[in-house]
């Protein structure tokens, strides 16, 4: 018999311990070990049974146990101390409060998914985990971020395997009342809501739930409300589910509805309106259109509204894979944004132009969310230095005439939230031997930790992983139809004294899950080596619609099912945060072998490194910039080999060779005390060299300094009385574009160098240019110089701005200046004219340039 309605009844806590409710609802517990220990002490067995979920634990306790706790003076004192500690954390000044000037009072952060804790299953992979770590670290630094996302009724999916190793998906329904969330309510107690207009007079209404991520409120929009029709109620049914129309409605709710939710939150809580808006990938890009609509409704014309919005917007691109970018049919976007009142007053043709692929190689029939995101943001970034380079090449068509290096997309390398991902044994080591937790200056003192202490902790974490893996393998085989009588072999799966390699991530083809299977016999010999055996723990989900990814998983599972090797290699289904928190610390080596350069960043190796695990990776993403030859191993890449099969053969052979000739020997090379001294030197070096770099607090502080503060300054300078600055900038750009056809470099002369130029000599440049109707103050005439190739291509360029010397009739002008030669080798230069305005963030911002 099935229920026609379901809901969760929350417990009423006795007054002496009622602060447990506040502690359970603030997700700081997910990274604060003392708070987790407090909940575990209530009932250790029940705590594990509810997967360490405080809300579920309190809801599962019988009234008698609650009364016992309320009568236990020592426990009540622990609760009061924990509540006081949380209050201090939420209110005391932190790093951000010490910044000089006037940093923004609020920053909105939009993302389609958030990986904060397995208790709140609103994530699928790296994008969501990054967003969760961003919010947690913002909280730890006191950065006034407000998160915005969607509340998915079934989250992503729960992964299982069939008997023959095929991935299956189920979608367990979650009840918001059973999650660490609170519903926003109006003054009369009714649920507060936002509405997004749809075509045909339909409306999409959403309630707004709030998760407290430490100091950061996270607003999650839920379309499963009674006032919606059946189709609208399912808009937030699952993450990345449904077809194009379903995804479009999700992204309208996230972007447009999300801005409206922010306004609702400010009205109900008194929180300041955000000064900066951070779009985490293109999924939330419609937020810029809603903010334009607000300004147009207030009387601003479209171009001025666009400039005001751009100044305050930061856009982060996360994928170098074109297939990972959302693209909708132009006609579909016309229907949803033009044939409804959702953007009343905003010309739909201007909206369509923002997402148009109107560049060489683009598709005129589609609307590209990443392209719109870049056009709506004055500041944009990739998530590693290599990814920034790839992104500049990928989107170069938006800025024709500029070299890739000048495309206005910078890079801030991702980081990870250490308190979430570092095992408590590592914290205990740091506390005992260096006097501080990982993430402080303790990384400088890692050499003071005894080798034996590091090795013993590493073995304990490996043993913890072995126990967890055996439990998961047994449960998986039961789901696959095996009986307990068939599963005696599971007790011998993995060995806490064997070199353990981990590989866990999403399973698109470019991440190459099965690269290690290119030579199955060689892999078997590594796994079964009698002197230096290797064991591998693998996990990962394929998108439900990705049949190729599922085939890769099946291929891996079938290999791992072989009785000859199944004690040395396992595939663990349903990879999630809970699994990861045991997997990263328990591995000795973290493997990553994507097809370079298609890994934007890849933060799993960072989490492993903070636990003393060594990386074995293709030089892609973050590993490309921070591998130093001593903190792990780089798998050689066969760049330039066009045959993908041959490339995989070459790179898999390099992988086997590294494991066989370097990694396994170093792990098993022990001294008289049984310690692998050279291995432990690499562990220490990894912690010292990577520890400070891979922290999400470093990442968030980089965002604050490099993007949030400049964006806040820019929007304040434009958004004065009646947005006069935005209106002036918009008018200037119109005049610039209208007159740019008359801009050209007519003639260039140079002097000052001898027949054999030497370092220190000065090149004098005279440039004669036509500006048509434009004023010399509208432009910068630049000498662009650098190393020159045999085909006259400039690299490693620098620019010098020439001074205006004289004006002639017919809009012609003379500019001049000097360039000091500071480098030896082939030298070349050219002259160009670019727009200049105090409110431009980059010379390439307008996409206009006149090259000699």
């Amino acid at each position: 018999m099935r229920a026609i309605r379901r809901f969760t009844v929350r417990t009423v806590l006795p007054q002496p311990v009622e602060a447990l409710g506040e502690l359970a609802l603030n997700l700081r517990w997910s990274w604060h070990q003392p708070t987790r220990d407090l909940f575990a002490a209530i009932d250790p067995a029940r705590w594990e049974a509810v997967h360490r979920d405080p809300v579920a634990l309190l809801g599962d306790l019988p009234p008698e146990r609650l009364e016992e706790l309320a009568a236990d003076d020592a426990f009540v004192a622990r609760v009061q101390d924990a509540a006081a500690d949380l209050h201090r954390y939420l209110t005391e000044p932190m790093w951000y409060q010490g910044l000089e000037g006037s940093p923004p009072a609020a920053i909105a952060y939009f993302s389609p998914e958030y990986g904060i804790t397995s208790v709140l299953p609103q994530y699928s992979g790296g994008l969501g985990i990054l967003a969760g770590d961003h919010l947690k670290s913002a909280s730890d630094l006191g950065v006034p971020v407000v998160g915005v996302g969607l509340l998915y009724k079934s989250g992503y999916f729960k992964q299982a395997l069939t008997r023959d190793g095929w991935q299956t998906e189920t979608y367990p329904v979650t009840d918001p009342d059973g999650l660490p969330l609170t519903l926003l309510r109006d003054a009369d107690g009714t649920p507060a809501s936002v509405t997004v207009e749809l075509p045909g007079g339909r409306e999409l209404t959403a309630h707004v739930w709030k998760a407290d991520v430490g100091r950061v409120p996270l607003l999650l929009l839920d379309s499963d409300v009674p006032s919606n029709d059946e189709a609208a109620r399912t808009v937030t049914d699952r993450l990345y589910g449904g077809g194009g129309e379903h995804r479009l409605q999700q992204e309208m709710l996230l972007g447009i509805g999300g801005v409206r939710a922010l306004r609702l939150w400010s009205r109900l809580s008194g929180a300041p309106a955000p000064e900066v808006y951070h779009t985490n990938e293109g999924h939330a890009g419609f937020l810029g259109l809603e903010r334009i609509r607000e300004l147009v409704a207030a009387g601003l014309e479209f171009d001025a509204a666009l400039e005001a919005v751009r100044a305050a917007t930061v856009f982060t691109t996360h994928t170098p894979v074109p297939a990972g970018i959302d693209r909708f049919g132009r006609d579909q976007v016309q229907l949803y944004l033009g044939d409804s009142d959702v953007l009343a007053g905003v010309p739909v043709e201007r909206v369509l132009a923002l997402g148009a692929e109107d560049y060489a190689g683009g598709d005129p029939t589609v609307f590209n969310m990443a392209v719109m995101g870049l056009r709506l943001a004055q500041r944009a970034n990739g998530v590693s230095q290599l990814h920034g380079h790839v992104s500049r090449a990928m989107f170069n068509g938006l800025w024709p005439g500029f070299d890739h290096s000048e495309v206005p997309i910078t890079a801030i390398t991702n980081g990870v939230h250490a308190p979430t991902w570092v095992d408590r044994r590592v914290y205990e080591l740091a506390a005992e031997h260096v006097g501080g937790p990982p993430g402080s200056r303790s990384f400088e003192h890692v050499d003071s930790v005894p080798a034996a202490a590091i090795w013993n902790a590493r073995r304990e974490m490996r043993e913890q992983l072995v126990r967890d893996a055996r439990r998961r393998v047994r449960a998986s085989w039961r789901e696959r139809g095996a009986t307990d009588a068939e599963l005696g072999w599971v007790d011998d799966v993995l060995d806490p004294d064997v070199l353990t390699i981990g590989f866990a991530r999403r399973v698109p083809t470019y991440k190459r899950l099965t690269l290690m299977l290119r030579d199955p016999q060689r892999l078997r010999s590594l796994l079964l080596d009698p002197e230096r055996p290797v064991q591998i723990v693998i996990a990962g989900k394929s998108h439900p619609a990705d049949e190729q990814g599922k085939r890769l998983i099946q291929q891996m599972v079938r290999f791992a099912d072989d009785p000859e090797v199944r004690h040395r290699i396992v595939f663990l289904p349903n990879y999630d945060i809970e699994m990861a928190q045991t997997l990263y610390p328990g591995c000795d080596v973290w493997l990553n072998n994507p097809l370079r350069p298609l890994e934007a960043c890849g933060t799993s190796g960072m989490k492993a490194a903070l636990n003393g695990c060594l990386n074995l990776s293709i030089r892609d993403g973050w590993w490309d910039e921070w591998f130093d030859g001593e903190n792990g191993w780089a798998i050689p890449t066969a760049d330039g080999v066009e045959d993908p099969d041959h490339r995989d053969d070459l790179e898999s052979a390099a992988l086997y060779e590294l494991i066989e000739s370097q990694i396994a020997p170093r792990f098993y090379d022990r001294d008289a005390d049984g310690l692998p001294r050279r291995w432990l030197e690499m562990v220490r070096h990894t912690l010292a060299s990577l520890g400070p770099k891979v922290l999400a607090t470093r990442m968030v502080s980089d965002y604050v300094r490099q993007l949030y503060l400049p964006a806040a300054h820019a929007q304040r300078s434009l958004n004065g009385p009646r947005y006069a600055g935005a209106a002036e900038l918009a008018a200037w750009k119109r005049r610039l574009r209208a007159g740019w056809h008359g801009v050209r470099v007519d003639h260039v002369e140079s002097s000052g160098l001898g027949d054999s130029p030497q370092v220190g000599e000065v090149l004098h440049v005279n440039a004669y240019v036509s500006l048509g109707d434009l004023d010399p103050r509208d432009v910068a005439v630049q000498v662009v110089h650098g190393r020159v190739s045999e085909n006259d291509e400039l690299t490693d360029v620098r620019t010098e701005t020439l001074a205006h010397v004289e004006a002639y009739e017919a809009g012609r002008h003379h500019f001049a200046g000097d360039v000091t030669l500071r480098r030896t080798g082939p030298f070349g230069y050219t002259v160009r004219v670019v727009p200049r305005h105090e409110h431009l963030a980059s010379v390439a911002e307008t996409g206009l340039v006149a090259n000699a």
Side-chain angles (χ1 to χ4, degrees):
M1 185 179 301
R2 296 176 62 86
I4 62 171
R5 188 182 171 209
R6 59 177 293 161
F7 53 86
T8 298
V9 180
R10 288 189 173 178
T11 189
V12 177
L13 296 168
Q15 188 277 329
V17 293
E18 65 180 1
L20 286 172
E22 179 186 5
L23 291 167
L25 285 175
N26 192 302
L27 291 171
R28 185 202 184 205
W29 61 257
S30 68
W31 72 88
H32 189 246
Q33 190 63 51
T35 306
R36 294 200 299 275
D37 289 343
L38 173 67
F39 283 108
I42 293 174
D43 188 329
R46 201 183 300 263
W47 172 247
E48 294 299 324
V50 298
H51 300 281
R52 288 164 277 187
D53 178 350
V55 172
L57 175 71
L58 296 179
D60 200 45
L61 289 175
E64 302 79 35
R65 178 56 178 154
L66 290 172
E67 293 300 333
E68 288 176 8
L69 294 171
D72 183 338
D73 291 341
F75 183 79
V76 169
R78 285 185 67 184
V79 172
Q80 292 172 344
D81 288 345
D85 180 73
L86 176 62
H87 178 73
R88 284 192 298 273
Y89 174 84
L90 297 177
T91 57
E92 67 186 4
M94 294 190 177
W95 170 82
Y96 189 83
Q97 285 66 46
L99 292 178
E100 296 181 356
S102 301
I107 299 152
Y109 183 91
F110 283 67
S111 178
E113 52 174 303
Y114 289 91
I116 297 165
T117 165
S118 57
V119 167
L120 193 62
Q122 302 293 309
Y123 59 94
S124 72
L127 180 71
I129 299 299
L130 182 280
D133 282 10
H134 196 108
L135 296 196
K136 294 173 192 176
S137 297
S139 175
D140 290 343
L141 293 172
V143 182
V145 165
V146 182
V148 181
L150 301 179
L151 181 66
Y152 303 98
K153 190 172 184 178
S154 297
Y156 192 39
F157 67 87
K158 182 178 179 181
Q159 179 194 47
L161 301 172
T162 64
R163 187 75 187 214
D164 66 350
W166 189 256
Q167 171 183 296
T168 62
E169 305 91 25
T170 55
Y171 295 87
V173 174
T174 59
D175 180 359
D177 286 315
L179 299 174
L181 303 171
T182 54
L183 183 64
L184 295 191
R185 296 182 180 274
D186 279 313
D188 61 1
T190 59
S193 64
V194 297
T195 298
V196 174
E197 296 79 8
L198 298 176
R202 295 175 60 230
E203 290 186 337
L204 172 59
T205 299
H207 288 164
V208 183
W209 297 83
K210 178 172 69 75
D212 289 311
V213 187
R215 299 164 71 115
V216 172
L218 169 58
L219 308 178
L220 299 172
L221 282 70
D222 173 18
S223 73
D224 187 21
V225 300
S227 61
N228 282 332
D229 59 37
E230 188 59 32
R233 293 190 70 163
T234 62
V235 165
T236 58
D237 57 350
R238 59 184 63 168
L239 177 59
Y240 302 142
E245 188 171 13
H246 186 262
R247 179 76 69 88
L248 177 59
Q249 291 178 70
Q250 283 189 339
E251 297 188 6
M252 288 175 62
L253 182 60
L254 174 59
I256 298 171
V259 172
R260 295 175 184 181
L262 284 171
R263 307 299 178 245
L264 174 68
W265 168 244
S266 292
R267 176 174 65 81
L268 295 178
S269 68
E275 292 183 77
V276 175
Y277 294 77
H278 186 171
T279 309
N280 194 32
E281 198 41 271
H283 311 291
F286 289 134
L287 75 89
L289 301 182
E290 169 63 9
R291 293 175 53 229
I292 289 174
R293 185 203 63 79
E294 290 179 326
L295 294 173
V296 168
L300 217 57
E301 52 95 19
F302 179 90
D303 286 333
L306 173 61
E307 297 303 333
V309 166
R310 290 186 72 255
T313 302
V314 172
F315 177 78
T316 299
T317 175
H318 284 266
T319 177
V321 183
I325 294 173
D326 282 333
R327 301 160 88 219
F328 300 108
R330 180 183 172 91
D331 293 343
Q332 193 176 45
V333 174
Q334 163 81 51
L335 173 66
Y336 272 87
L337 300 185
D339 296 357
S340 70
D341 292 328
V342 69
L343 296 176
V346 177
V348 69
E349 64 274 7
R350 299 298 303 273
V351 171
L352 293 172
L354 289 169
E357 294 187 356
D358 53 358
Y359 43 80
D363 183 345
T365 69
V366 303
F367 184 94
N368 186 309
M369 294 295 288
V371 167
M372 180 185 69
L374 289 165
R375 285 174 170 155
L376 283 173
Q378 193 174 41
R379 289 163 179 82
N381 69 286
V383 291
S384 70
Q385 295 303 312
L386 178 59
H387 180 230
H389 174 78
V390 171
S391 297
R392 288 188 287 274
M394 183 175 177
F395 294 108
N396 184 239
L398 295 176
W399 294 274
F402 289 93
D403 288 343
H404 295 174
S405 61
E406 290 191 296
V407 168
I409 301 176
T410 185
I412 292 179
T413 303
N414 284 343
V416 298
H417 185 247
T420 295
W421 303 110
V422 175
D423 191 271
R424 69 184 302 162
R425 291 166 184 78
V426 179
Y427 272 87
E428 290 165 358
L429 270 183
E432 180 179 356
H433 297 286
V434 301
S440 69
R441 297 178 64 86
S442 61
F443 290 117
E444 300 175 6
H445 307 291
V446 68
D447 284 346
S448 64
V449 183
I454 295 175
W455 187 240
N456 291 337
R458 293 288 314 138
R459 190 193 186 281
E460 289 174 6
M461 291 187 287
R462 199 182 308 116
E463 188 172 33
Q464 174 183 256
L465 170 59
V466 169
R467 289 195 302 269
D468 189 58
R470 288 174 180 173
R471 177 182 64 81
R472 292 177 184 274
V473 168
R474 187 179 299 277
S476 176
W477 271 100
R478 283 173 176 159
E479 283 192 86
R480 296 172 71 182
T483 65
D484 286 338
E486 300 173 77
L487 298 178
W489 60 271
V490 174
D491 294 333
D492 296 320
V493 162
L494 306 183
D495 183 329
D497 292 309
V498 168
L499 170 62
T500 304
I501 299 176
F503 182 100
R505 52 202 15 93
R506 291 184 304 110
V507 191
T509 53
Y510 76 88
K511 291 183 182 282
R512 298 194 295 185
L513 167 68
T514 57
L515 186 69
M516 67 182 78
L517 298 182
R518 295 296 293 184
D519 186 342
Q521 193 53 46
R522 190 164 184 189
L523 178 59
R524 287 174 190 273
S525 68
L526 289 170
L527 297 172
L528 302 176
D529 188 292
E531 301 296 328
R532 297 167 176 168
V534 172
Q535 60 193 12
I536 306 178
V537 183
I538 303 163
K541 292 180 175 181
S542 176
H543 188 280
D546 184 359
E547 294 293 308
Q548 177 61 23
K550 291 183 181 181
R551 280 193 289 272
L552 296 176
I553 289 174
Q554 185 180 47
Q555 184 182 350
M556 180 59 70
V557 171
R558 286 178 171 176
F559 180 87
D561 284 351
D562 185 338
E564 184 185 9
V565 297
R566 64 188 181 188
H567 64 300
R568 287 282 185 259
I569 183 168
V570 296
F571 182 91
L572 305 181
N574 206 41
Y575 179 42
D576 65 358
I577 290 175
E578 184 180 12
M579 180 195 296
Q581 288 172 324
T582 301
L583 181 56
Y584 299 139
C587 291
D588 301 294
V589 174
W590 194 257
L591 174 62
N592 188 26
N593 46 230
L595 190 65
R596 189 179 191 270
L598 300 182
E599 182 83 276
C601 183
T603 58
S604 59
M606 297 179 175
K607 299 159 194 162
L610 286 174
N611 286 284
C613 178
L614 304 179
N615 275 268
L616 168 62
S617 178
I618 295 287
R619 291 195 64 164
D620 202 1
W622 72 276
W623 190 237
D624 182 68
E625 64 195 81
W626 287 337
F627 168 67
D628 66 7
E630 298 295 331
N631 52 14
W633 294 270
I635 303 169
T637 55
D639 294 340
V641 175
E642 295 184 2
D643 181 348
D645 288 331
H646 185 44
R647 178 170 181 167
D648 285 355
D649 287 338
L650 292 173
E651 295 184 2
S652 63
L655 169 61
Y656 299 138
E657 177 64 22
L658 278 172
I659 295 172
E660 188 174 63
S661 66
Q662 295 189 40
I663 297 172
R666 185 163 295 196
F667 180 84
Y668 287 107
D669 180 17
R670 309 294 166 83
D671 66 7
D673 297 321
L675 299 176
R677 295 285 178 178
R678 291 199 304 158
W679 185 275
L680 292 174
E681 287 172 6
M682 290 185 71
V683 170
R684 282 197 175 105
H685 179 70
T686 288
L687 291 168
S689 66
L690 293 179
K693 295 177 182 176
V694 303
L695 298 178
T697 46
R698 185 273 311 154
M699 173 189 72
V700 172
S701 65
D702 284 350
Y703 272 104
V704 169
R705 293 189 180 100
Q706 298 176 33
L707 296 175
Y708 296 165
L709 292 177
H713 176 76
Q715 70 89 20
R716 289 169 186 169
S717 65
L718 292 185
N719 300 355
R722 301 185 61 81
Y723 294 91
E728 186 276 328
L729 179 60
W732 177 82
K733 283 188 176 181
R734 279 196 298 269
R735 182 168 60 83
L736 186 80
R737 291 191 176 100
W740 196 257
H741 65 89
V743 177
R744 64 181 180 273
V745 178
D746 295 319
H747 180 61
V748 177
E749 297 176 352
S750 64
S751 61
L753 300 182
D755 293 337
S756 299
Q758 297 180 349
V759 170
E761 291 189 17
V762 177
L763 172 70
H764 185 68
V765 178
N766 289 283
Y768 299 89
V769 303
S770 292
L771 298 182
D773 295 331
L774 298 181
D775 189 275
R777 290 171 296 183
D778 294 328
V779 302
V781 178
Q782 299 177 330
V783 178
V784 183
H785 59 93
R787 299 191 183 277
V788 64
S789 67
E790 292 181 355
N791 60 357
D792 293 333
E793 288 292 326
L794 290 172
T795 59
D796 194 17
V797 299
R798 300 177 185 178
T799 61
E800 305 287 345
T801 299
L802 304 180
H804 185 254
V805 176
E806 190 174 4
Y808 307 114
E809 58 185 32
R812 296 185 69 245
H813 299 266
H814 175 201
F815 291 79
D818 294 334
V819 176
T820 302
L821 305 185
R822 303 188 185 281
R823 298 185 286 199
T824 59
F827 176 89
Y829 75 93
T830 187
V831 172
R832 70 181 182 186
V833 185
V834 293
R836 176 168 60 184
H837 192 282
E838 63 176 325
H839 294 309
L840 296 183
S842 159
V843 296
E845 181 175 317
T846 63
L848 299 174
V849 60
N851 291 307

